[in-house]
Amino acid sequence: KPQLVASNNRFCRFLEEYCPVVTETYYPTIWCWEGRVQTLLRPFITSRPQVQYRNELMKTADGGQISLDWFDNNDSLYYPDASTRPTVLLLPGLTGTSKESYILHMIHQSEMLGYRCVVFNNRGIAGEDLLTPRTYSAANTEDLEAVVHHVHSLHPLAPFMAAGVSMGGMLLLNYLGKTGRDTPLMAAAIFSAGWNVFESIASLEKPLNWLLFNYYLTTCLQSSVSRHRQMLEKSCDMDLVMKARSIREFDTQFTSVMFGYRTVDDYYEDASPCRKLKSVGIPVLCLNSVDDVFSPGHAIPVETAKQNANVALLLTSCGGHIGFLEGIWPRKCTYMDRVFKQFVQAVFEHGNKIFSM
């Protein structure tokens, strides 16, 4: 049974009544219950719902562009008026885009509820060109701030919330910690966020985890920047970047340099959402598994969460990183999908019961 951590009794009661999945026992798929196995198998096992996107290239203040993929849901039976159709902003993980299976499942859940979705693809990874020598990081919230206000300006009457997965969840938490209540978002859902980057990196540098995850992710990061090499050479030594053999080495040679940090440790300090959790000013539900090698259980800020009435942590003993597979043959809905669906619906349809907290 998941552990629900929240200091606000009203928020707890709200979740138990309108998001009952938080009280249900989570039964991981019996033949792949171990966290690393769940993490590795989920992308191959889960189905990929068909989603037709409308792409928008949004210009930024520094001359760059951000690719937004819209699922307008114009056939919505529950919200036929587009001006008031609830909108969910989705943030994928480190090198993820709108094509990730977990994003497609969130959109499928939202479609059934009648909601509109928009996926925020980080600069340079969704096929668009980099117009400036800049990419993205977990700590820099400028692009996310611009996207939030852009989406809100297009549909100012529509209820609006966000959901972030993995690094997308870290970025969203860092944004919320910076803005407090000064955001058009009503609430947020966070899945498998890395709370303390130092602990996440230490876990990923253990020999087996390096072999299974760290090296592969490093090559994905290198691949995402190599196609923009000519532009990025203006700010980084790309030869050193392409020699990196771990995420720490990549961040040392690329991310920390790109965003002007003195050392990679300075970047990791700034990127860790646990430092900003006290300042979150809207209701947030955060799902983590304590066997997630990307966000080890001992680094989840349970005590800090108890100091903020807006925060609820939902912790499972199994599930891995963006895994949460359940059932004998877990092709369709995961536990994470069910948490997303119920929480989003609870906020949009009963949110007035928690906004007086």
Side-chain angles (χ1 to χ4, degrees):
K1 192 168 183 177
Q3 178 188 3
L4 182 61
V5 178
S7 65
N8 188 323
N9 290 332
R10 185 181 298 177
F11 197 6
C12 265
R13 290 196 300 271
F14 173 85
L15 290 171
E16 289 167 356
E17 181 172 358
Y18 298 108
C19 187
V21 67
V22 304
T23 67
E24 298 171 8
T25 301
Y26 163 56
Y27 295 99
T29 297
I30 194 165
W31 50 269
C32 66
W33 57 269
E34 202 270 339
R36 282 174 290 216
V37 179
Q38 284 242 359
T39 305
L40 289 167
L41 290 184
R42 183 205 52 78
F44 301 102
I45 291 179
T46 53
S47 61
R48 304 180 66 84
Q50 292 295 311
V51 174
Q52 289 293 115
Y53 288 117
R54 170 177 62 85
N55 183 256
E56 176 190 5
L57 288 179
M58 177 190 138
K59 300 301 180 184
T60 61
D62 68 339
Q65 62 182 6
I66 298 169
S67 177
L68 300 178
D69 281 322
W70 290 83
F71 175 72
D72 295 301
N73 205 3
N74 288 325
D75 296 327
S76 173
L77 297 176
Y78 300 109
Y79 299 95
D81 183 355
S83 67
T84 56
R85 185 175 303 144
T87 304
V88 187
L89 175 63
L90 300 175
L91 287 72
L94 185 60
T95 57
T97 68
S98 58
K99 297 178 181 178
E100 304 304 321
S101 61
Y102 56 83
I103 293 291
L104 298 175
H105 276 273
M106 287 180 172
I107 291 175
H108 180 60
Q109 302 288 348
S110 301
E111 180 183 17
M112 291 189 290
L113 296 168
Y115 307 150
R116 169 174 47 224
C117 293
V118 55
V119 184
F120 166 39
N121 297 294
N122 284 301
R123 293 194 197 198
I125 61 166
E128 82 285 3
D129 293 329
L130 276 184
L131 303 183
T132 60
R134 170 181 165 175
T135 55
Y136 60 93
S137 81
N140 189 285
T141 62
E142 291 174 11
D143 283 356
L144 177 55
E145 290 174 43
V147 168
V148 167
H149 288 288
H150 172 71
V151 172
H152 180 61
S153 70
L154 293 176
H155 306 286
L157 301 179
F160 186 25
M161 66 176 293
V165 181
S166 190
M167 195 211 79
M170 297 165 65
L171 181 63
L172 182 53
L173 283 165
N174 285 330
Y175 161 77
L176 294 175
K178 179 179 177 181
T179 58
R181 290 185 178 273
D182 188 21
T183 173
L185 297 173
M186 301 168 62
I190 311 291
F191 301 100
S192 295
W195 288 99
N196 184 317
V197 182
F198 295 102
E199 297 294 340
S200 295
I201 292 296
S203 173
L204 287 169
E205 288 177 342
K206 293 178 179 178
L208 181 57
N209 294 338
W210 181 88
L211 190 66
L212 292 174
F213 305 109
N214 198 327
Y215 182 71
Y216 170 72
L217 269 177
T218 304
T219 60
C220 288
L221 286 165
Q222 290 168 324
S223 176
S224 72
V225 300
S226 64
R227 60 181 289 265
H228 307 293
R229 181 167 185 146
Q230 190 172 357
M231 175 65 75
L232 295 172
E233 281 178 334
K234 299 174 183 178
S235 56
C236 295
D237 185 335
M238 292 300 291
D239 288 334
L240 288 176
V241 171
M242 300 310 291
K243 290 177 181 176
R245 290 296 174 263
S246 68
I247 295 174
R248 185 193 297 270
E249 289 180 11
F250 179 89
D251 286 335
T252 299
Q253 300 298 340
F254 185 81
T255 316
S256 59
V257 175
M258 170 76 58
F259 289 95
Y261 291 96
R262 190 174 56 86
T263 68
V264 71
D265 284 354
D266 289 340
Y267 165 55
Y268 286 166
E269 182 78 13
D270 199 24
S272 298
C274 60
R275 296 177 61 247
K276 305 180 182 74
L277 195 58
K278 291 180 182 178
S279 304
V280 171
I282 62 171
V284 174
L285 177 63
C286 308
L287 173 65
N288 281 88
S289 171
V290 298
D291 70 352
D292 181 350
V293 299
F294 288 78
S295 186
H298 67 267
I300 298 172
V302 173
E303 294 307 314
T304 307
K306 291 177 181 178
Q307 299 171 33
N308 187 335
N310 293 301
V311 176
L313 302 181
L314 185 62
L315 309 178
T316 61
S317 57
C318 306
H321 187 70
I322 328 175
F324 302 102
L325 299 173
E326 57 186 357
I328 298 299
W329 184 238
R331 281 211 25 95
K332 294 185 178 178
C333 195
T334 68
Y335 180 77
M336 178 177 125
D337 296 329
R338 293 197 291 129
V339 172
F340 169 82
K341 181 180 181 181
Q342 290 188 20
F343 183 63
V344 169
Q345 185 175 23
V347 169
F348 283 147
E349 299 181 16
H350 307 284
N352 60 309
K353 293 182 171 64
I354 52 171
F355 296 133
S356 57
M357 290 192 303

PDB file of all heavy atoms in Angstrom, residues 2 13 32 71 110 133 143 153 169 192-193 202-203 211 229 255 321 349:
ATOM      1  N   PRO A   2       0.629   2.218  -0.867  1.00  0.00           N
ATOM      2  CA  PRO A   2       1.478   3.413  -0.921  1.00  0.00           C
ATOM      3  C   PRO A   2       1.419   4.206   0.373  1.00  0.00           C
ATOM      4  O   PRO A   2       0.428   4.161   1.113  1.00  0.00           O
ATOM      5  CB  PRO A   2       0.880   4.233  -2.073  1.00  0.00           C
ATOM      6  CG  PRO A   2       0.030   3.277  -2.840  1.00  0.00           C
ATOM      7  CD  PRO A   2      -0.445   2.264  -1.863  1.00  0.00           C
ATOM      8  N   ARG A  13      -7.693  14.416   2.870  1.00  0.00           N
ATOM      9  CA  ARG A  13      -9.091  13.988   2.690  1.00  0.00           C
ATOM     10  C   ARG A  13      -9.549  14.174   1.254  1.00  0.00           C
ATOM     11  O   ARG A  13     -10.286  13.351   0.701  1.00  0.00           O
ATOM     12  CB  ARG A  13      -9.996  14.748   3.655  1.00  0.00           C
ATOM     13  CG  ARG A  13      -9.829  14.358   5.115  1.00  0.00           C
ATOM     14  CD  ARG A  13     -10.991  14.856   5.961  1.00  0.00           C
ATOM     15  NE  ARG A  13     -11.108  16.307   5.905  1.00  0.00           N
ATOM     16  CZ  ARG A  13     -10.477  17.142   6.730  1.00  0.00           C
ATOM     17  NH1 ARG A  13      -9.687  16.663   7.678  1.00  0.00           N
ATOM     18  NH2 ARG A  13     -10.645  18.459   6.622  1.00  0.00           N
ATOM     19  N   CYS A  32       7.998  -8.850 -13.045  1.00  0.00           N
ATOM     20  CA  CYS A  32       9.003  -7.780 -13.202  1.00  0.00           C
ATOM     21  C   CYS A  32       8.817  -6.734 -12.103  1.00  0.00           C
ATOM     22  O   CYS A  32       8.691  -5.543 -12.371  1.00  0.00           O
ATOM     23  CB  CYS A  32       8.959  -7.147 -14.591  1.00  0.00           C
ATOM     24  SG  CYS A  32       7.479  -6.232 -14.983  1.00  0.00           S
ATOM     25  N   PHE A  71      -2.564  18.729 -28.360  1.00  0.00           N
ATOM     26  CA  PHE A  71      -3.695  17.834 -28.594  1.00  0.00           C
ATOM     27  C   PHE A  71      -4.936  18.623 -28.190  1.00  0.00           C
ATOM     28  O   PHE A  71      -5.241  18.767 -27.009  1.00  0.00           O
ATOM     29  CB  PHE A  71      -3.582  16.545 -27.772  1.00  0.00           C
ATOM     30  CG  PHE A  71      -4.794  15.672 -27.898  1.00  0.00           C
ATOM     31  CD1 PHE A  71      -5.046  14.972 -29.069  1.00  0.00           C
ATOM     32  CD2 PHE A  71      -5.712  15.577 -26.860  1.00  0.00           C
ATOM     33  CE1 PHE A  71      -6.188  14.190 -29.197  1.00  0.00           C
ATOM     34  CE2 PHE A  71      -6.847  14.798 -26.976  1.00  0.00           C
ATOM     35  CZ  PHE A  71      -7.083  14.108 -28.156  1.00  0.00           C
ATOM     36  N   SER A 110      -6.415  11.964 -20.713  1.00  0.00           N
ATOM     37  CA  SER A 110      -7.005  13.307 -20.779  1.00  0.00           C
ATOM     38  C   SER A 110      -8.091  13.389 -21.845  1.00  0.00           C
ATOM     39  O   SER A 110      -9.114  14.063 -21.667  1.00  0.00           O
ATOM     40  CB  SER A 110      -5.919  14.347 -21.075  1.00  0.00           C
ATOM     41  OG  SER A 110      -4.907  14.331 -20.088  1.00  0.00           O
ATOM     42  N   PRO A 133      22.735  29.370 -29.439  1.00  0.00           N
ATOM     43  CA  PRO A 133      23.581  28.333 -28.808  1.00  0.00           C
ATOM     44  C   PRO A 133      23.159  28.043 -27.372  1.00  0.00           C
ATOM     45  O   PRO A 133      23.884  28.276 -26.414  1.00  0.00           O
ATOM     46  CB  PRO A 133      24.981  28.941 -28.875  1.00  0.00           C
ATOM     47  CG  PRO A 133      24.751  30.407 -28.849  1.00  0.00           C
ATOM     48  CD  PRO A 133      23.473  30.638 -29.598  1.00  0.00           C
ATOM     49  N   ASP A 143      12.397  29.037 -20.006  1.00  0.00           N
ATOM     50  CA  ASP A 143      11.554  28.545 -21.099  1.00  0.00           C
ATOM     51  C   ASP A 143      10.207  28.064 -20.588  1.00  0.00           C
ATOM     52  O   ASP A 143       9.165  28.314 -21.218  1.00  0.00           O
ATOM     53  CB  ASP A 143      12.272  27.413 -21.843  1.00  0.00           C
ATOM     54  CG  ASP A 143      13.357  27.921 -22.781  1.00  0.00           C
ATOM     55  OD1 ASP A 143      13.492  29.153 -22.913  1.00  0.00           O
ATOM     56  OD2 ASP A 143      14.070  27.088 -23.374  1.00  0.00           O
ATOM     57  N   SER A 153      -2.185  32.623 -21.927  1.00  0.00           N
ATOM     58  CA  SER A 153      -2.662  33.783 -22.685  1.00  0.00           C
ATOM     59  C   SER A 153      -3.574  33.378 -23.837  1.00  0.00           C
ATOM     60  O   SER A 153      -4.472  34.128 -24.229  1.00  0.00           O
ATOM     61  CB  SER A 153      -1.476  34.594 -23.219  1.00  0.00           C
ATOM     62  OG  SER A 153      -0.795  33.887 -24.247  1.00  0.00           O
ATOM     63  N   GLY A 169       9.577  16.712 -14.269  1.00  0.00           N
ATOM     64  CA  GLY A 169       9.039  16.947 -12.936  1.00  0.00           C
ATOM     65  C   GLY A 169       9.960  17.813 -12.104  1.00  0.00           C
ATOM     66  O   GLY A 169       9.517  18.670 -11.338  1.00  0.00           O
ATOM     67  N   SER A 192       8.176  10.508 -10.620  1.00  0.00           N
ATOM     68  CA  SER A 192       9.558  10.002 -10.653  1.00  0.00           C
ATOM     69  C   SER A 192      10.599  11.115 -10.768  1.00  0.00           C
ATOM     70  O   SER A 192      11.590  10.979 -11.492  1.00  0.00           O
ATOM     71  CB  SER A 192       9.737   8.999 -11.810  1.00  0.00           C
ATOM     72  OG  SER A 192       8.948   7.848 -11.608  1.00  0.00           O
ATOM     73  N   ALA A 193      10.386  12.205 -10.068  1.00  0.00           N
ATOM     74  CA  ALA A 193      11.372  13.292 -10.076  1.00  0.00           C
ATOM     75  C   ALA A 193      12.609  12.891  -9.283  1.00  0.00           C
ATOM     76  O   ALA A 193      12.516  12.178  -8.281  1.00  0.00           O
ATOM     77  CB  ALA A 193      10.768  14.566  -9.481  1.00  0.00           C
ATOM     78  N   ALA A 202      25.010   9.775  -7.713  1.00  0.00           N
ATOM     79  CA  ALA A 202      25.754   8.747  -6.970  1.00  0.00           C
ATOM     80  C   ALA A 202      25.146   7.364  -7.205  1.00  0.00           C
ATOM     81  O   ALA A 202      25.863   6.370  -7.371  1.00  0.00           O
ATOM     82  CB  ALA A 202      25.774   9.085  -5.490  1.00  0.00           C
ATOM     83  N   SER A 203      23.822   7.293  -7.218  1.00  0.00           N
ATOM     84  CA  SER A 203      23.148   6.019  -7.454  1.00  0.00           C
ATOM     85  C   SER A 203      23.413   5.512  -8.868  1.00  0.00           C
ATOM     86  O   SER A 203      23.687   4.328  -9.081  1.00  0.00           O
ATOM     87  CB  SER A 203      21.637   6.180  -7.228  1.00  0.00           C
ATOM     88  OG  SER A 203      20.932   5.014  -7.589  1.00  0.00           O
ATOM     89  N   LEU A 211      26.086   0.641 -16.017  1.00  0.00           N
ATOM     90  CA  LEU A 211      26.011  -0.232 -17.188  1.00  0.00           C
ATOM     91  C   LEU A 211      24.605  -0.218 -17.795  1.00  0.00           C
ATOM     92  O   LEU A 211      24.444  -0.168 -19.025  1.00  0.00           O
ATOM     93  CB  LEU A 211      26.399  -1.659 -16.786  1.00  0.00           C
ATOM     94  CG  LEU A 211      26.623  -2.671 -17.902  1.00  0.00           C
ATOM     95  CD1 LEU A 211      27.836  -2.280 -18.738  1.00  0.00           C
ATOM     96  CD2 LEU A 211      26.811  -4.064 -17.308  1.00  0.00           C
ATOM     97  N   ARG A 229      25.755  20.604 -33.430  1.00  0.00           N
ATOM     98  CA  ARG A 229      27.155  20.844 -33.066  1.00  0.00           C
ATOM     99  C   ARG A 229      27.669  22.198 -33.555  1.00  0.00           C
ATOM    100  O   ARG A 229      28.345  22.922 -32.817  1.00  0.00           O
ATOM    101  CB  ARG A 229      28.030  19.716 -33.608  1.00  0.00           C
ATOM    102  CG  ARG A 229      29.502  19.885 -33.254  1.00  0.00           C
ATOM    103  CD  ARG A 229      30.295  18.633 -33.512  1.00  0.00           C
ATOM    104  NE  ARG A 229      31.676  18.807 -33.057  1.00  0.00           N
ATOM    105  CZ  ARG A 229      32.426  17.851 -32.550  1.00  0.00           C
ATOM    106  NH1 ARG A 229      31.941  16.637 -32.424  1.00  0.00           N
ATOM    107  NH2 ARG A 229      33.662  18.094 -32.163  1.00  0.00           N
ATOM    108  N   THR A 255      26.406  21.007 -19.682  1.00  0.00           N
ATOM    109  CA  THR A 255      25.287  21.707 -19.043  1.00  0.00           C
ATOM    110  C   THR A 255      25.748  22.830 -18.130  1.00  0.00           C
ATOM    111  O   THR A 255      25.226  23.954 -18.202  1.00  0.00           O
ATOM    112  CB  THR A 255      24.417  20.710 -18.240  1.00  0.00           C
ATOM    113  OG1 THR A 255      24.202  19.533 -19.009  1.00  0.00           O
ATOM    114  CG2 THR A 255      23.086  21.345 -17.890  1.00  0.00           C
ATOM    115  N   HIS A 321      11.637   3.564 -12.064  1.00  0.00           N
ATOM    116  CA  HIS A 321      11.617   4.924 -12.606  1.00  0.00           C
ATOM    117  C   HIS A 321      10.659   4.976 -13.794  1.00  0.00           C
ATOM    118  O   HIS A 321      10.905   4.357 -14.830  1.00  0.00           O
ATOM    119  CB  HIS A 321      13.033   5.318 -13.043  1.00  0.00           C
ATOM    120  CG  HIS A 321      13.154   6.754 -13.467  1.00  0.00           C
ATOM    121  ND1 HIS A 321      13.066   7.792 -12.563  1.00  0.00           N
ATOM    122  CD2 HIS A 321      13.345   7.330 -14.678  1.00  0.00           C
ATOM    123  CE1 HIS A 321      13.209   8.945 -13.214  1.00  0.00           C
ATOM    124  NE2 HIS A 321      13.374   8.685 -14.504  1.00  0.00           N
ATOM    125  N   GLU A 349     -12.377  19.156 -11.517  1.00  0.00           N
ATOM    126  CA  GLU A 349     -13.811  19.040 -11.240  1.00  0.00           C
ATOM    127  C   GLU A 349     -14.175  19.279  -9.777  1.00  0.00           C
ATOM    128  O   GLU A 349     -15.337  19.563  -9.473  1.00  0.00           O
ATOM    129  CB  GLU A 349     -14.307  17.673 -11.718  1.00  0.00           C
ATOM    130  CG  GLU A 349     -14.099  17.526 -13.233  1.00  0.00           C
ATOM    131  CD  GLU A 349     -14.577  16.208 -13.794  1.00  0.00           C
ATOM    132  OE1 GLU A 349     -15.342  15.500 -13.092  1.00  0.00           O
ATOM    133  OE2 GLU A 349     -14.182  15.874 -14.923  1.00  0.00           O
TER     134      GLU A 349
END
